Amino acid sequence: MTALDVLRADRVLSVVRADKIPDAAALCHALAAGGIRTVELTFTTPGVLDLLRSAADAVAQSDVVLGVGTVLTADQARAAIDNGASFLVTPAVRPGVAEVALSAGVPVFLGALTPTEVAMAVDLGASAVKIFPAGRFGPRYLSDLHGPYPDVELLPSGGITAENARAYLDAGALAVCAGTGVVPPARVAAGDWDDIASRARTFVTALTS
């Protein structure tokens, strides 16, 4: 299954921003146990390529889809793909990243905010467009964007919680990005996988309640 297939099924992606990840594979398995199978590590984490490589190997036979975010350059994109990333995410419209991803056949979720940026991301071949920072504008903004872009897959990120995530889905989001509410940096650094699995389960339950 591709990242888009899993996102359509689960409706949530976990974005992990942590200074330390003691065991990326265990983190992925904990999130999957809680119902979140799409996991985004980020280039803001030191040594993320090593973490990606080890985790990608460890989850290869599972249903976890592992990718990398905060990809800013073509070189980062190539390195991420070479180390096992199944998808790439950018915080803004990054043509070089899109070109590398498309050449490799890897889905890329380009970051955007304005209608112009959404159009640019689509023209560059984005599989979905990450709307960031979505929390500053709320679910209605996604509905507004779907006026001129009814067929664009939108992925809101930033400020999404268990309490408001369902509203973004109801506004037409492909899926939502779950951040520190599910993967608090301190809990990740401590390797508290049971707590993270529980947080993931709570978030997923809120999507259907």
Side-chain angles (χ1 to χ4, degrees):
M1 295 178 73
T2 68
L4 277 178
D5 292 332
V6 177
L7 283 177
R8 287 194 183 100
D10 295 354
R11 309 300 299 277
V12 57
L13 179 157
S14 179
V15 182
V16 184
R17 292 194 182 279
D19 291 334
K20 178 183 178 184
I21 303 176
D23 188 334
L27 170 61
C28 290
H29 289 309
L31 288 165
I36 301 178
R37 297 180 293 169
T38 308
V39 183
E40 174 192 333
L41 305 182
T42 71
F43 268 99
T44 57
T45 297
V48 69
L49 293 176
D50 291 335
L51 293 167
L52 173 64
R53 177 72 274 157
S54 62
D57 289 340
V59 304
Q61 302 305 315
S62 73
D63 54 2
V64 171
V65 180
L66 181 60
V68 177
T70 320
V71 185
L72 298 175
T73 68
D75 286 344
Q76 286 180 329
R78 292 188 194 95
I81 293 168
D82 288 346
N83 282 278
S86 295
F87 63 92
L88 304 179
V89 186
T90 70
V93 177
R94 306 298 293 172
V97 174
E99 182 179 359
V100 170
L102 291 178
S103 295
V106 172
V108 59
F109 308 146
L110 294 176
L113 180 61
T114 68
T116 298
E117 291 170 347
V118 171
M120 292 171 62
V122 171
D123 289 346
L124 289 168
S127 301
V129 181
K130 184 180 82 168
I131 303 302
F132 176 82
R136 294 288 184 180
F137 296 85
R140 183 174 176 179
Y141 186 60
L142 260 67
S143 298
D144 291 341
L145 287 173
H146 268 141
Y149 305 121
D151 299 323
V152 176
E153 303 276 27
L154 300 179
L155 185 64
S157 179
I160 312 297
T161 66
E163 290 71 31
N164 64 22
R166 178 61 184 268
Y168 284 94
L169 297 182
D170 290 343
L174 162 69
V176 293
C177 294
T180 56
V182 172
V183 280
R187 299 270 56 81
V188 173
D192 193 347
W193 311 131
D194 288 341
D195 178 70
I196 288 171
S198 176
R199 288 171 180 270
R201 195 171 296 110
T202 297
F203 192 98
V204 169
T205 299
L207 298 181
T208 56
S209 60

